Amino acid sequence: QQNWKDKGFDVAWVPAGCGMVPSNREEGCIIDPTKVTVRGRYVKTHHPHTFCMAEALEGLLDFVVCLGPMMVVCATLYRLPIVYTKLFREERVT
């Protein structure tokens, strides 16, 4: 915790909630702050879970939209052997 500068590191990072700092927040220490250049600023435009919720809703919508055609296909495949048998039996009889 104390000798990171002596070991040749330029930056020390403490994760949040580890108990090393009184604030219990994430912290970073830099040897020479004059060497730090701000190149831009990150602006959070959306909540991080917005993309996940959109994907989940899209998946649910796909399921609902495809449920009708899927049921028609399943019913057709279920009834297909019966229809096939009836068609061929009628052809053999006539």
Side-chain angles (χ1 to χ4, degrees):
Q1 294 179 9
Q2 305 294 326
N3 59 356
W4 56 274
K5 292 184 267 185
D6 301 334
K7 292 185 177 182
F9 294 104
D10 294 334
V11 177
W13 173 73
V14 177
C18 70
M20 292 177 71
V21 291
S23 67
N24 229 7
R25 291 181 168 180
E26 178 181 322
E27 287 191 18
C29 299
I30 300 169
I31 288 180
D32 189 4
T34 59
K35 293 182 180 179
V36 176
T37 305
V38 177
R39 295 186 174 207
R41 183 175 172 214
Y42 173 75
V43 179
K44 184 172 74 171
T45 57
H46 298 289
H47 191 273
H49 300 296
T50 303
F51 181 71
C52 295
M53 291 302 294
E55 289 289 317
L57 288 173
E58 186 178 332
L60 182 63
L61 184 63
D62 286 345
F63 177 74
V64 169
V65 169
C66 293
L67 186 61
M70 184 176 66
M71 290 179 68
V72 169
V73 168
C74 289
T76 303
L77 291 175
Y78 174 74
R79 299 284 297 170
L80 192 59
I82 297 169
V83 172
Y84 184 77
T85 306
K86 285 183 179 180
L87 285 175
F88 279 105
R89 284 187 183 167
E90 288 177 7
E91 284 182 8
R92 289 181 186 165
V93 172
T94 57

